[in-house]
Every structure is written in C-alpha cells, then in structure tokens.
C-alpha cells in the first residue's frame, strides 16, 4: 500500500519523446510461435522491456505464456501481456475479462507493464469469412474497443496499451480520436514510425520489424528508463472535488483514480466569514476548524465528507480545505 500527497488531479503518466524519434529503449514481443526465449541474452543484449502474448479471443491462451512471462521477470526485464483481439467472437468486455483472468492482470510489483489490446488485420479471413475489420462497422468497432478498455481499467486501474497500425485504425475505427488517453504501441515496419492514428500525437512503443536481433519482434520505447519505470509502476492517483451546496453546507469528495490503495488521507478545513462548524460526520471539529482522516481508500472507491456551518445572514462565507498538497476553497452561495 502507498500513502499519497494528493494532487488536485494526478494525471495518467505522460511519456516524453517525439514521434520523429527513430530509436529508444530496445524491447521485444514474443508469443507461442517464438518458442523458448533466452531471456538472459535478451537482457545482456540491451533488452529493456518485453511483451508476451497471453490470450486471443475468448478461448486461446499461449501455452508458453507462464514460462515466457516469468522468464523475462527473472532476467530483470519489465514485461507486459497482450491480447490478440477477435472482435467478431464476443464483446470487448468479455475478452478483457478473459485476458485479465489468463495472464493480463496488472500488479504493482515493479515488473509489470499495463496490458495490451492487439488490434490488426484479421489473419483468419479464409476461415471465418470476415474482412480485415472482422465484419464490424467503424462505429461498432469503436464500441468494442471502448468496452474492452473500460473493462480493463475497471479490473486493473490501468489504461490498456493499444497496439495497431495507422492503416487498420483509420479503416476499422474511422480514425477514431476517442482513445488518446491509452498509450499507443504503433506497428510500422521500417526506418521511421510514419504517421500516427488520430487521437495520438506521439507513440509510446514502436514495433519497427517483425523479427529483431534479440527475440521476437523489434520494438522501441519512446522515452527514458525512468519514464519506463513510471509506466510500469505509476504513482498513486486521486481526484479531489468539492461543492458549496448552500451558505451552510459544504462537501468534499476524494476518489481513488489510480491503481494503488491510498492510506491515511488527511483533510483539514476551516470556515471563514464569521461562521462556525456545527456538524461534520466522521470528523473532529471545534470552532471554525475541522479535521478528517481516511484510513484506506481502495482503487475505484471514493469518500465524501459533508460539513454544516451556522453562517451569518449576509456577507461572504465559505470553507477552505487542505488535502495533501491540494488547496480547495468553497464559497457559500
């Protein structure tokens, strides 16, 4: 568990670098087809991260996943799992759930990258009779991707990385701009990453070749080692909001929007404008001052404190709060 000096809104990790960068930290992606991997050689050869296929659709699990995933960790290489989407088989939420239950879960162990949603041309057209977009319209594909990413965030507290090509994204989602908050793993083989899909102004990972010099595909992370470490294990996040419901009632809400539990969150407040605090459930108060503490706030949970004062009839009144590093002023109306 982690304690947190809360920010007003601690945003998702932002990664430095530009889309023009032709190099970066080297990494690999592997699957069952890669076979046994010499992870020691990958590490000694400069490999800084790895992605391992875990699942496909709603029934397939890579039989080598456990060995590949644990092998990368044992060699000191941060690794993440990826899911090869089959959007025509089941809805996005169901495939995200299958992914999480079969290797795609995220844990704050300092070694695990967020899971990846792999979206690319349908390789089974001769078998399933679908086109490269699996028979879905752009609108339906956007809904499918949204269902997957929403479920993954609900289950893990992390935003799934999206692997795709610019061509597939433009054709099959209508070049949707709705997923720019998800890190982009761009597949574009060649000497430069080329144009990016709509919604992203930079890539986070770039797959530049199907086969690399280390193992599996050749990839680069568009950032520094410290930024990669932050993507692996980001800081705790919280959103703090407040409202003056009247001249005498005020509310402060703290929501855990990150992947880690928060502990010992302290709230201190003071009424101003010649009023006193007369009611504050769950908190200690005296005169104009109030103090509250949240022992633990798990991922996705929120807590709301409500304060009642005895304001004077006229003049400016309100309350000022400090929550970690946040200063919040609520003016009564």
């Amino acid at each position: 568990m982690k304690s947190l000096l809360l920010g007003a809104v601690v945003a998702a990790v932002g990664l430095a670098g530009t889309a023009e960068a032709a190099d970066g930290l080297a990494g690999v992606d592997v699957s069952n087809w890669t076979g046994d991997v010499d992870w020691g050689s990958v590490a000694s050869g400069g490999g800084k991260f790895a992605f391992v296929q875990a699942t496909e659709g709603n029934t397939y699990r890579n039989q080598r996943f456990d060995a590949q995933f644990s092998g990368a960790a044992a060699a000191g290489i941060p690794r993440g799992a990826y899911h090869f989407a089959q959007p025509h088989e089941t809805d996005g939420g169901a495939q995200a759930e299958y992914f999480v239950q079969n290797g795609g879960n995220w844990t704050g162990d300092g070694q695990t990258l967020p899971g990846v949603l792999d979206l690319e041309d349908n390789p089974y057209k001769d078998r399933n009779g679908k086109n490269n977009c699996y028979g879905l319209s752009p609108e339906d594909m956007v809904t499918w991707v949204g269902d997957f990413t929403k479920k993954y965030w609900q289950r893990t507290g992390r935003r799934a990385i999206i692997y795709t090509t610019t061509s597939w994204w433009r054709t099959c989602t209508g070049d949707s701009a709705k997923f720019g908050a998800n890190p982009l793993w761009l597949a574009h083989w060649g000497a430069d990453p080329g144009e990016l899909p709509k919604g992203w102004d930079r890539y986070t990972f770039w797959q530049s070749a199907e086969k690399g010099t280390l193992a599996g595909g050749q990839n680069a992370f568009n950032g520094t080692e410290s930024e990669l470490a932050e993507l692996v294990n980001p800081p705790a996040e919280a959103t703090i909001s407040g409202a003056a419901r009247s001249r005498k009632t005020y509310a402060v809400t703290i929501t855990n929007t990150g992947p880690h539990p928060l502990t010992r969150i302290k709230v201190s407040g003071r009424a101003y404008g010649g009023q006193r605090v007369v009611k504050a459930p769950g908190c200690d108060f005296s005169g104009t001052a109030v103090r509250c503490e949240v022992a633990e706030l798990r991922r996705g949970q929120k807590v709301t404190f409500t304060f009642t004062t005895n304001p004077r009839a006229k003049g400016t009144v309100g309350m000022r709060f400090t929550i970690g590093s946040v200063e919040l002023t609520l003016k009564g109306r």
Side-chain angles (χ1 to χ4, degrees), residues 80-326:
Y82 74 88
H83 173 79
F84 191 92
Q86 295 291 292
H88 64 294
E89 292 184 352
T90 56
D91 65 73
Q95 291 196 27
E97 183 66 34
Y98 181 74
F99 177 47
V100 168
Q101 292 183 7
N102 288 276
N105 195 18
W106 180 84
T107 57
D109 58 3
Q111 294 181 302
T112 305
L113 285 156
V116 178
L117 173 59
D118 182 343
L119 295 161
E120 55 185 276
D121 286 345
N122 175 15
Y124 308 120
K125 289 185 288 186
D126 293 341
R127 184 189 311 171
N128 58 35
K130 306 293 183 181
N131 59 15
N132 280 336
C133 302
Y134 302 87
L136 274 65
S137 68
E139 293 77 13
D140 288 342
M141 186 64 77
V142 168
T143 296
W144 195 95
V145 175
D147 289 345
F148 185 102
T149 54
K150 180 180 179 181
K151 172 64 74 171
Y152 190 80
W153 183 86
Q154 290 172 341
R155 294 285 277 109
T156 68
R158 302 302 309 273
R159 295 190 183 275
I161 298 166
I162 293 179
Y163 169 99
T164 195
T165 67
T166 299
S167 175
W168 188 93
W169 192 260
R170 287 176 175 172
T171 301
C172 297
T173 73
D175 213 14
S176 173
K178 293 184 177 181
F179 301 96
N182 294 80
L184 173 66
W185 180 7
L186 182 68
H188 186 271
W189 300 344
D192 64 78
E195 295 184 26
L196 303 183
K198 193 173 182 180
W200 289 282
D201 58 10
R202 60 187 172 191
Y203 64 86
T204 300
F205 297 94
W206 168 33
Q207 185 187 63
S208 59
E210 181 180 17
K211 293 186 180 296
T213 57
L214 299 176
Q218 180 168 297
N219 298 273
F221 171 72
N222 190 16
T224 65
E225 288 197 47
S226 62
E227 288 166 333
L228 179 62
E230 192 170 16
L231 181 61
V232 169
N233 198 25
E237 299 176 8
T239 299
I240 300 168
S241 60
R245 295 174 178 171
S246 67
R247 286 177 61 81
K248 67 177 183 178
T249 306
Y250 305 84
V252 173
T253 299
I254 304 168
T255 306
N256 184 348
T257 52
H260 302 291
L262 307 177
T263 60
R264 298 189 63 189
I265 305 168
K266 295 183 179 181
V267 179
S268 61
R270 186 171 293 275
Y272 67 87
Q275 58 180 342
R276 296 166 60 88
V277 179
V278 296
K279 189 176 181 181
C283 303
D284 297 324
F285 62 94
S286 177
T288 62
V290 62
R291 292 185 180 276
C292 320
E293 182 170 324
V294 182
E296 181 180 24
L297 198 61
R298 295 187 177 277
R299 178 174 55 81
Q301 288 185 328
K302 66 180 179 180
V303 61
T304 298
F305 294 105
T306 303
F307 311 94
T308 304
T309 64
N310 60 342
R312 60 191 181 186
K314 296 181 180 180
T316 301
V317 295
M319 293 191 71
R320 296 187 179 94
F321 297 93
T322 300
I323 307 99
S325 59
V326 176

Side-chain angles (χ1 to χ4, degrees), residues 33-114:
W33 298 105
T34 311
D36 296 330
V37 179
D38 184 345
W39 289 109
S41 294
V42 173
S44 64
K48 299 297 185 181
F49 65 90
F51 288 109
V52 180
Q53 184 186 13
T55 52
E56 179 175 321
N58 215 44
T59 56
Y60 173 80
R61 187 177 192 272
N62 173 13
Q63 62 185 5
R64 288 190 169 93
F65 175 78
D66 292 335
Q68 291 174 336
F69 201 68
S70 62
I77 301 172
R79 73 285 190 261
Y82 74 88
H83 173 79
F84 191 92
Q86 295 291 292
H88 64 294
E89 292 184 352
T90 56
D91 65 73
Q95 291 196 27
E97 183 66 34
Y98 181 74
F99 177 47
V100 168
Q101 292 183 7
N102 288 276
N105 195 18
W106 180 84
T107 57
D109 58 3
Q111 294 181 302
T112 305
L113 285 156

